[in-house]
């Protein structure tokens, strides 16, 4: 079951797209707060969607370290690998 | 470039509000006259946003106790309890709180914020886990950040998501501490505490903290809060609360049956390294707690007033919170609408609050009211009439006589 790098990446892109009010081009370099205009709570809410999809819990200090979509993918992969 | 450059966009918005002469975050009353009235720029305003749930701030007995204790014991303790010692009143209040909640132990903090800061940062240590409701108050988030535990949040009011979080931690060592609130301060909704308690019971080494800041003196047969109302006090390991709402003073507390509780007095930094409450505040709080216990009519009046406002605003077509409570919020289409509505209400002599994201859930802009037992039905009706007038003027609700469209109650469940 899951855990493949491509799967996690795809799930994150898909979740991110569906939680934004309007379509924005997203790459791994996209800055979550600056480029997407999400506030701290919106970021945590969006991470919740991914937690559900991957059945993992992401500690808040990990979320705080995430700046780009690439960081997010890496963090999720690490957590998934560790669980 | 300056230290404050990082706040530039916020500062611009703040300046705009100041320039418009209507900044909801910087109101300065000329004087406050009673739990429900104040003077602002020479005009009388009706207070509908001060969390003064039982209206005890001007209670003659409460004031008399504050005066008496101030005259006898002085204006302040000038330091912390570990350095300067406790006064008799501190311990008396702790015992009174423990007795009221039928708990063995009680501990008093200098503010409600500090009670959460202290308890959450201390209860869960480095290898433990704090599991917070996503809509928790800032003091809960800050308390979690002050400590060293792993912190995760679960979907607001979702026992199912709480269960998911605990299941994922099943094989991880360390204690698990769940934190929820009795009444949530933004939308006035209550936690499904019975269901949370059942989830908690099904996992070992799991503890439940309930912050009854907005529900003390409001919910439960004896006013002990949501845990009493839901009949699950035995499942709640720590009750945290404040003196600054229903008790009309300032300060915070925690009560518990946990064995060895008193060690917290020498390990909880927000308790140890701050000045203890002044004798006047302690004496006033003791008397207010006595009033809370002996005057259940206050609670009944508060509930009636809350229902009156909630039903009145819902009937006008405002989108209100999911259930009536002394916190009555209406959902605004945007922060700008919230500012305009707030300013219009204040101009007409009604003081309310604006609440904005990230302090609010789901990015909502809210016009928030809070009701007191001290409000007369006539005052509540007057407030509803002002909401009607201002709401129609700004196009926030349908014209008089028109049917309101849509779902008037905001469902918080996902």
């Amino acid at each position: 079951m899951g855990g493949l790098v491509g799967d996690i990446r795809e799930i994150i892109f898909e979740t991110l797209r569906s939680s934004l009010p309007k379509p924005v081009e997203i790459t791994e370099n996209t800055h979550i707060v600056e480029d997407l205009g999400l506030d701290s709570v919106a970021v945590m809410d969006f991470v919740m969607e991914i937690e559900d999809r991957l059945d993992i819990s992401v500690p808040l200090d990990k979320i705080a370290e995430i700046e780009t979509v690439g960081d997010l993918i890496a963090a999720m992969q690490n957590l998934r690998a560790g669980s | 470039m300056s230290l404050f450059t990082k706040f530039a966009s916020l500062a611009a918005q703040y300046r705009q509000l100041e320039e418009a002469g209507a900044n909801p975050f910087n109101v300065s009353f000329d004087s406050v006259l009673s739990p429900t009235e104040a003077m602002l720029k020479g005009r009388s305003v009706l207070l509908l946003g001060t969390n003064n749930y039982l209206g005890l701030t001007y209670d003659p007995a409460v004031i008399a106790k504050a005066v008496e204790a101030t005259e006898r014991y002085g204006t302040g303790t000038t330091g912390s309890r570990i350095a300067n010692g406790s006064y008799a009143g501190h311990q008396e209040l702790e015992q009174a709180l423990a007795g009221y909640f039928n708990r063995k132990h009680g501990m008093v903090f200098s503010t409600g914020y500090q009670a959460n800061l202290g308890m959450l940062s201390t209860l869960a240590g480095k290898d433990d886990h704090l599991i917070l409701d996503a809509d928790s108050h800032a003091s809960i988030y800050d308390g979690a950040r002050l400590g060293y535990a792993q912190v995760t949040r679960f979907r607001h009011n979702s026992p199912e998501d709480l269960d998911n979080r605990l299941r994922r931690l099943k094989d991880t060592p360390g204690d698990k501490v769940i934190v929820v609130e009795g009444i949530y301060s933004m939308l006035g909704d209550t936690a499904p505490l019975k269901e949370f308690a059942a989830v908690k019971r099904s996992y070992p080494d799991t503890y439940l903290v309930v912050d009854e800041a907005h529900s003390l003196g409001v919910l439960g047969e004896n006013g002990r809060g949501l845990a009493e109302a839901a009949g699950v006090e035995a499942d709640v390991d720590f009750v945290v609360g404040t003196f600054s709402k229903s008790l009309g003073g300032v300060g915070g507390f925690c009560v518990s049956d946990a064995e060895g509780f008193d060690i917290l007095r020498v390990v909880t930094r927000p308790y140890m390294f701050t000045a203890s409450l002044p004798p006047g505040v302690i004496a006033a709080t003791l008397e207010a707690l006595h009033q809370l216990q002996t005057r259940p009519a206050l609670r009944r009046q508060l509930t009636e007033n809350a229902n009156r406002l909630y039903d009145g605003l819902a009937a006008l077509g405002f989108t209100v919170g999911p259930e009536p409570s002394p916190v009555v919020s209406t959902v605004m289409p945007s922060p700008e609408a919230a500012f305009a509505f707030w300013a219009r209400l204040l101009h007409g002599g009604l003081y309310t609050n604006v609440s904005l994201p990230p302090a609010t859930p789901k990015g909502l802009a809210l016009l928030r009211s809070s009701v007191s037992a001290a409000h007369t039905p006539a005052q509540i009706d007057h407030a509803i009439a002002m909401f009607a007038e201002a709401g129609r003027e700004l196009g926030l609700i349908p014209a008089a006589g028109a049917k309101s469209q849509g779902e008037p109650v905001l469902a918080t469940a996902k």
Side-chain angles (χ1 to χ4, degrees):
Chain A
M1 138 118 215
L4 288 171
V5 171
D7 287 353
I8 290 181
R9 192 175 178 282
E10 202 36 56
I11 286 171
I12 289 172
F13 273 81
E14 195 185 298
T15 315
L16 199 45
R17 274 190 215 106
S18 68
S19 64
L20 291 172
K22 54 178 185 240
V24 179
E25 166 135 34
I26 302 166
T27 71
E28 294 204 6
N29 295 323
T30 302
H31 200 284
I32 295 173
V33 173
E34 282 165 21
D35 298 338
L36 302 179
L38 299 178
D39 68 29
S40 56
V41 171
V43 171
M44 292 194 295
D45 286 347
F46 149 71
V47 169
M48 241 174 196
E49 302 283 339
I50 299 172
E51 290 176 304
D52 279 356
R53 296 282 301 269
L54 299 176
D55 196 28
I56 54 172
S57 291
V58 186
L60 295 190
D61 57 342
K62 289 269 186 313
I63 299 179
E65 287 168 8
I66 294 166
E67 291 194 353
T68 65
V69 173
D71 294 344
L72 180 62
I73 294 169
M76 296 295 162
Q77 283 164 352
N78 286 339
L79 278 166
R80 191 60 196 264
S83 70
Chain B
M1 194 68 185
S2 84
L3 280 175
F4 302 139
T5 307
K6 54 186 169 288
F7 305 121
S9 80
L10 193 61
Q13 291 169 42
Y14 193 82
R15 213 160 38 238
Q16 233 173 33
L17 291 171
E18 283 288 312
E19 280 161 10
N23 182 352
F25 312 118
N26 191 21
V27 171
S28 180
F29 296 110
D30 310 340
S31 64
V32 174
L33 308 173
S34 76
T36 61
E37 296 153 302
M39 297 299 289
L40 183 68
K41 292 179 185 160
R43 297 171 56 218
S44 163
V45 290
L46 172 60
L47 298 175
L48 196 73
T50 60
N51 299 332
N52 195 349
Y53 299 132
L54 299 182
L56 290 175
T57 45
Y58 282 79
D59 182 88
V62 172
I63 292 174
K65 291 286 183 185
V67 170
E68 184 196 339
T70 305
E71 282 174 352
R72 281 184 68 176
Y73 305 112
T75 51
T77 65
T78 64
S80 75
R81 287 173 68 181
I82 51 169
N84 295 21
S86 295
Y87 291 28
H90 292 120
Q91 273 137 352
E92 207 184 321
L93 179 56
E94 284 171 343
Q95 280 156 16
L97 284 161
Y100 169 55
F101 280 95
N102 299 317
R103 303 277 179 168
K104 293 197 187 87
H105 312 284
M107 189 164 157
V108 163
F109 291 83
S110 298
T111 66
Y113 176 87
Q114 281 164 298
N116 272 333
L117 222 53
M119 293 310 297
L120 301 192
S121 63
T122 312
L123 286 178
K126 193 170 85 58
D127 300 316
D128 301 325
H129 301 266
L130 274 172
I131 308 170
L132 317 179
D133 184 285
D135 286 4
S136 289
H137 187 259
S139 58
I140 293 174
Y141 277 102
D142 291 356
R145 278 182 63 182
L146 185 63
Y148 298 95
Q150 287 248 311
V151 186
T152 53
R153 61 205 279 275
F154 61 94
R155 286 188 192 285
H156 176 54
N157 275 356
S158 168
E160 192 192 350
D161 197 27
L162 173 62
D163 190 77
N164 279 336
R165 308 272 159 183
L166 288 167
R167 173 180 52 75
R168 289 173 197 150
L169 286 171
K170 208 160 42 106
D171 301 318
T172 311
D175 290 325
K176 285 87 188 177
V177 180
I178 305 163
V179 187
V180 301
E181 297 179 38
I183 292 178
Y184 284 84
S185 61
M186 292 290 98
L187 288 170
D189 50 332
T190 56
L193 204 52
K194 222 185 174 93
E195 290 78 4
F196 282 148
V199 173
K200 175 225 160 186
R201 278 197 301 270
S202 65
Y203 290 92
D205 306 320
T206 301
Y207 301 86
L208 179 58
V209 178
V210 179
D211 181 348
E212 302 269 18
H214 290 267
S215 37
L216 168 66
V218 174
L219 299 178
E221 181 73 29
N222 298 287
R224 291 197 296 266
L226 181 64
E228 186 191 15
V232 293
E233 288 177 287
D235 295 296
V236 178
D237 301 283
F238 300 90
V239 176
V240 183
T242 180
F243 305 150
S244 63
K245 300 182 185 356
S246 54
L247 293 172
V250 64
F253 70 90
C254 176
V255 293
S256 177
D257 283 326
E259 217 173 299
F261 183 85
D262 277 331
I263 195 65
L264 292 173
R265 295 182 195 277
V266 290
V267 292
T268 304
R269 299 167 67 92
Y271 171 87
M272 299 160 68
F273 298 103
T274 192
S276 62
L277 286 171
V281 169
I282 293 283
T285 304
L286 254 170
E287 178 58 28
L289 181 63
H290 176 69
Q291 303 269 334
L292 183 156
Q293 289 174 263
T294 52
R295 295 170 66 191
L298 288 176
R299 202 149 48 248
R300 282 196 295 274
Q301 186 62 53
L302 174 64
T303 304
E304 277 175 34
N305 288 348
N307 291 344
R308 195 177 186 95
L309 182 64
Y310 180 89
D311 293 342
L313 297 186
L316 288 174
F318 284 103
T319 302
V320 294
E323 56 185 303
S325 93
V327 175
V328 182
S329 287
T330 55
V331 178
M332 297 287 112
S334 65
E336 293 69 31
F339 290 136
F341 192 38
W342 178 87
R344 175 67 183 75
L345 289 173
L346 190 61
H347 182 74
L350 183 66
Y351 179 75
T352 57
N353 314 134
V354 170
S355 304
L356 298 177
T360 55
K362 295 173 189 63
L364 293 171
L366 301 174
L367 194 290
R368 177 185 181 277
S369 306
S370 55
V371 172
S372 174
H375 284 123
T376 62
Q379 282 177 316
I380 300 284
D381 290 345
H382 177 65
I384 295 169
M386 293 198 51
F387 267 82
E389 195 185 308
R392 283 176 191 136
E393 202 178 287
L394 297 177
L396 296 167
I397 48 168
K403 267 289 223 200
S404 75
Q405 324 113 333
E407 182 57 47
V409 175
L410 179 79
T412 54
K414 257 297 274 192

